[in-house]
Amino acid sequence: KAGVTQTPRYLIKTRGQQVTLSCSPISGHRSVSWYQQTPGQGLQFLFEYFSETQRNKGNFPGRFSGRQFSNSRSEMNVSTLELGDSALYLCASSLAERTYNEQFFGPGTRLTVL
Amino acid sequence: AQSVTQLGSHVSVSEGALVLLRCNYSSSVPPYLFWYVQYPNQGLQLLLKYTSAATLVKGINGFEAEFKKSETSFHLTKPSAHMSDAAEYFCAVSDRGNNDMRFGAGTRLTVKP
């Protein structure tokens, strides 16, 4: 069974641009969660989608948004990029709600904002 | 809201020595608890999880963790460290009944030959 895939793996953008990251969950998984990982803040939850609906959202500004498609694939978008948005963005999928089900993580997309 | 504290951002052990990574949680209700491992340039992989069955939980790669309610702890142990155990380890907690999960700051484990 294929794991969680994330594209692209690396991105370099400049301040003010926007970026879209993609995540394909494990086949059959309906929950997709996104996390931001930085050396200073650690792993921070961005949002979770389940059956195309956002179930929960972390404490991030509205510049961060996401969506989930009917095939469970998910995208997250960051608009008006800031230097502080440089991070590893991790996607995780699970069969159902992430809070008590095992989450399977992708390798991440490393975003660098110059 | 629940939270988790990992004591020690860096732990160094010799190969063959005991590994002990500490995790304390706060939660108003019985929690679910998880340990994940992250190797360089990879995502997180679940080592083990506690969901109110046995308090001693066995995971992959020889790791285990014990849920101690009185101490609000869920420390991760491995009797004998291997070079391949060098990685970053994250403890996570989620409250039953709500839809939130919090990760600790992580502990980087170094294994010396």
Side-chain angles (χ1 to χ4, degrees), chain B residues 10 17 41 67 81 91 94:
Chain B
H10 290 90
N41 298 316
F67 172 69
C91 181
S94 70

Side-chain angles (χ1 to χ4, degrees), chain A residues 66-83:
Chain A
R67 59 178 176 168
Q68 186 180 34
F69 302 95
S70 58
N71 61 359
S72 293
R73 190 177 70 85
S74 177
E75 289 181 348
M76 67 163 282
N77 184 277
V78 187
S79 62
T80 319
L81 284 166
E82 301 176 0
L83 294 179

Side-chain angles (χ1 to χ4, degrees), chain A residues 9-10 35 37 42-43 45 48 55-56 88 90 97-107 110, chain B residues 32 34 36 38 41-46 49 51 88 90 94-96 98-105:
Chain A
R9 291 291 312 275
Y10 301 91
Y35 295 85
Q37 186 178 25
L43 267 164
F45 169 70
E48 178 190 10
R55 292 178 61 89
N56 202 8
L88 181 67
L90 293 166
E97 291 95 323
R98 66 188 172 92
T99 50
Y100 48 84
N101 283 277
E102 177 178 358
Q103 294 184 78
F104 293 82
F105 283 79
R110 184 163 296 281
Chain B
Y32 295 110
F34 307 80
Y36 282 86
Q38 185 179 31
N41 298 316
Q42 295 186 29
L44 280 68
Q45 179 185 10
L46 181 70
K49 67 177 180 180
T51 57
E88 186 140 23
F90 293 90
S94 70
D95 271 345
R96 303 170 192 222
N98 75 21
N99 198 30
D100 194 11
M101 174 183 275
R102 301 292 175 93
F103 284 82

Side-chain angles (χ1 to χ4, degrees), chain B residues 3-95:
Chain B
S3 66
V4 62
T5 302
Q6 290 184 241
L7 299 173
S9 59
H10 290 90
V11 170
S12 181
V13 301
S14 297
E15 192 173 18
L18 170 72
V19 176
L20 171 61
L21 305 182
R22 300 177 187 273
C23 172
N24 287 89
Y25 68 91
S26 69
S27 174
S28 56
V29 298
Y32 295 110
L33 292 158
F34 307 80
W35 274 101
Y36 282 86
V37 61
Q38 185 179 31
Y39 297 101
N41 298 316
Q42 295 186 29
L44 280 68
Q45 179 185 10
L46 181 70
L47 280 175
L48 48 82
K49 67 177 180 180
Y50 167 77
T51 57
S52 84
T55 56
L56 182 63
V57 182
K58 293 188 184 298
I60 62 172
N61 301 339
F63 285 93
E64 63 182 37
E66 186 172 9
F67 172 69
K68 290 188 177 180
K69 185 178 178 180
S70 61
E71 299 176 8
T72 60
S73 69
F74 190 58
H75 301 333
L76 181 71
T77 61
K78 182 174 180 178
S80 177
H82 193 273
M83 297 297 290
S84 61
D85 295 327
E88 186 140 23
Y89 292 79
F90 293 90
C91 181
V93 62
S94 70
D95 271 345

